[in-house]
Amino acid sequence: NIRCKDTYHMKLNPKHFVRILVLGLLIGHAGIAVPSDIINWRSFDEGMVLSKIEKKTVFLHFYADWCGFCRKMANTTFKDPDLVRYLNENFMPIMVNTDREPETAGSYGVVGLPYTMFLTEQGEPILSVPGYIATDTLMSMLKEINGIKAGS
């Protein structure tokens, strides 16, 4: 007689369970690239550390909730699937709310919003772009900056 079981039971030593859980959390926290339809925004501190580890150029975007053009970028530019994929794969996306982190915005000379910067993985400025950026324009910028990094 062959019997079918409706569930599969695996015995796992509690020590191994904790190790697997911790490993899963570390992998998730380390910014392993996962296909996504949303930008994998990082906090400023986390993103700057990860950019060095992952050797990625920083895409630093400053915004505020009250900023109309910031909302427009969030709802159009940052929703384009090709742009999202390219940004996640090739850059370290960092988003900073200037109302919550005025000192960070001040340290980069942000006086108007939205404000976007490209930084080397060491945090050195490459390019600053004030104002709204349309999808096609931003995609061209991303490819150009990525090409400079690649040496092409």
Side-chain angles (χ1 to χ4, degrees):
N1 271 340
I2 298 175
R3 294 181 350 166
C4 266
K5 288 188 171 183
D6 61 350
T7 58
Y8 178 76
H9 297 282
M10 182 174 91
K11 289 186 178 180
L12 185 62
N13 180 322
K15 268 190 202 174
H16 295 283
F17 175 77
V18 170
R19 287 181 182 160
I20 290 170
L21 179 63
V22 168
L23 180 62
L25 291 172
L26 287 173
I27 289 172
H29 189 69
I32 302 301
V34 176
S36 175
D37 59 348
I38 61 170
I39 296 173
N40 188 19
W41 294 112
R42 302 292 183 161
S43 69
F44 181 77
D45 292 335
E46 178 187 26
M48 295 306 287
V49 169
L50 287 174
S51 70
K52 290 181 180 92
I53 294 168
E54 296 181 20
K55 308 234 182 288
K56 287 187 171 183
T57 300
V58 173
F59 177 84
L60 179 57
H61 183 72
F62 293 93
Y63 79 103
D65 295 332
W66 50 262
C67 168
F69 282 109
C70 299
R71 285 193 304 272
K72 183 176 179 182
M73 272 186 86
N75 292 325
T76 58
T77 307
F78 295 148
K79 296 288 186 191
D80 181 84
D82 293 331
L83 186 134
V84 168
R85 189 170 22 285
Y86 194 85
L87 188 59
N88 283 338
E89 288 174 5
N90 296 288
F91 292 84
M92 180 59 57
I94 298 173
M95 186 179 272
V96 175
N97 184 319
T98 58
D99 290 335
R100 292 190 194 117
E101 298 181 62
E103 58 286 334
T104 303
S107 70
Y108 285 98
V110 176
V111 293
L113 297 173
Y115 193 81
T116 304
M117 296 185 74
F118 293 90
L119 309 173
T120 67
E121 57 202 50
Q122 290 81 30
E124 298 297 318
I126 299 171
L127 176 68
S128 300
V129 186
Y132 171 81
I133 310 171
T135 304
D136 293 344
T137 304
L138 183 55
M139 183 62 98
S140 295
M141 286 179 185
L142 293 171
K143 289 180 178 179
E144 184 69 25
I145 297 292
N146 200 37
I148 291 169
K149 180 182 178 186
S152 53

